[in-house]
Amino acid sequence: MAKIIGVANQKGGVGKTTTAINLAASFAVLEYKTLLVDADPQANSTTGVGFDLHNVTQSLYDCMVNETPAKDVILKSDIPYLDLIPSHIDLVGAEIEMINYPNRESVLKNILAPVNSDYDFIVIDCSPSLGLITVNALAAANSVIVPVQTEFFALEGLGKLLNTIKIVQNRLNTSLEIEGILMTMYDGRLRLCNQVVSEVRKHFDELVFSTIIHRNSKISEAPSVGKPVVLYDAVSKGAMNYLNLAKEVLQKNNMTRISQEERIIQ
């Protein structure tokens, strides 16, 4: 069964989609079968792993509104071990179309159930809102990663998101956990960044990942060529940050595999 991780923050521009793309790609590079679900109508995760939106004929919208099975929508990326359920601008209207659905908060969970056992990880890129699609993602997920930008208003809105997570935990998904708060766009030269990191660590302590995502030009450039940073520049600081994040998640969930060399030593 796959570990399902939602990447959520209703605040835009915090590195949410960047994290979803690069965490999923890092799992794939480490040879864990991974499905990236683009649940954001902006479809940046879809283009970020190399797909042209004009060539996408079916998307998550078709799964949610037209009951198209997930296996008919899944696309294989150029990265071995990484598949995608693409998004489409139509997803904007899905919330209104789903309003009278029975169990409308569990639609995504039911979509993913038949393909769950095909993957080690399913990473859901949520839209920057706390609407029905994001609630669906939280209801389907085992855990949630919250990217937080290292800037003055970092904690603004975080309380609102954590409150939504608590409501979902109480009413829809009692097993939902916070995988961790991820500090993004960090610049060690700026005193403010260091103050924000220590402030967030003081407030949330063990919930904060040890890995910090540094501000890195390669991370910014990679989407323009439709590649995750681990493929665009594997030795860049950004690629190393996201590989370290993937390894931290694996260790936290006791999913680290013993390498061939370690087996021989044993």
Side-chain angles (χ1 to χ4, degrees):
M1 294 289 277
K3 164 100 180 175
I4 304 177
I5 302 174
V7 183
N9 193 332
Q10 80 277 18
K11 201 168 186 281
V14 296
K16 179 186 57 60
T17 295
T18 302
T19 295
I21 292 170
N22 290 301
L23 177 61
S26 296
F27 285 142
V29 165
L30 295 168
E31 298 189 356
Y32 289 83
K33 281 206 74 181
T34 306
L35 176 65
L36 176 60
V37 180
D38 191 350
D40 183 349
Q42 295 174 77
N44 291 335
S45 280
T46 303
T47 55
V49 291
F51 290 97
D52 185 339
L53 294 178
H54 296 103
N55 299 331
V56 173
T57 52
Q58 288 187 306
S59 68
L60 183 61
Y61 172 83
D62 295 282
C63 297
M64 298 192 92
V65 175
N66 302 327
E67 297 183 13
T68 305
K71 63 178 174 54
D72 295 347
V73 175
I74 289 172
L75 302 172
K76 293 215 168 294
S77 78
D78 290 340
I79 308 160
Y81 297 98
L82 181 64
D83 294 348
L84 171 80
I85 292 183
S87 184
H88 193 275
I89 191 67
D90 288 350
L91 202 57
V92 169
E95 299 201 356
I96 296 161
E97 294 184 59
M98 289 163 59
I99 207 79
N100 293 320
Y101 280 25
N103 303 321
R104 62 179 181 265
E105 296 89 358
S106 305
V107 173
L108 184 55
K109 184 179 183 178
N110 297 333
I111 289 164
L112 297 176
V115 297
N116 198 315
S117 56
D118 298 340
Y119 297 97
D120 298 307
F121 286 98
I122 297 175
V123 178
I124 307 171
D125 179 20
C126 302
S127 60
S129 75
L130 294 179
L132 185 56
I133 305 286
T134 299
V135 170
N136 259 268
L138 296 177
N142 303 119
S143 65
V144 57
I145 289 175
V146 183
V148 172
Q149 190 177 351
T150 50
E151 53 146 52
F152 185 69
F153 294 114
L155 296 174
E156 193 186 67
L158 196 53
K160 205 172 187 181
L161 176 63
L162 296 176
N163 195 42
T164 302
I165 290 169
K166 200 168 276 182
I167 291 166
V168 171
Q169 283 170 330
N170 290 337
R171 299 183 190 172
L172 299 167
N173 184 359
T174 50
S175 59
L176 179 67
E177 295 175 348
I178 295 173
E179 191 72 35
I181 293 169
L182 177 68
M183 305 306 297
T184 63
M185 304 181 198
Y186 173 78
D187 186 339
R189 297 167 302 179
L190 302 178
R191 189 194 295 167
L192 176 64
C193 283
N194 293 303
Q195 284 174 341
V196 170
V197 169
S198 63
E199 189 74 10
V200 173
R201 287 201 192 283
K202 191 172 81 182
H203 273 80
F204 298 102
D205 195 19
E206 75 283 351
L207 279 181
V208 184
F209 283 110
S210 301
T211 304
I212 292 176
I213 308 301
H214 290 72
R215 201 175 275 281
N216 179 255
S217 61
K218 301 299 179 187
I219 292 177
S220 309
E221 291 165 17
S224 65
V225 292
K227 285 183 179 179
V229 71
V230 283
L231 259 70
Y232 179 65
D233 188 341
V235 294
S236 66
K237 195 164 203 171
M240 294 301 170
N241 287 167
Y242 277 110
L243 279 167
N244 287 337
L245 175 64
K247 288 171 185 172
E248 192 174 342
V249 172
L250 289 165
Q251 283 169 352
K252 195 174 176 184
N253 290 280
N254 298 316
M255 290 175 73
T256 312
R257 291 174 183 154
I258 300 172
S259 70
Q260 197 66 36
E261 292 82 358
E262 285 170 315
R263 282 199 196 97
I264 292 163
I265 291 163
Q266 285 180 346

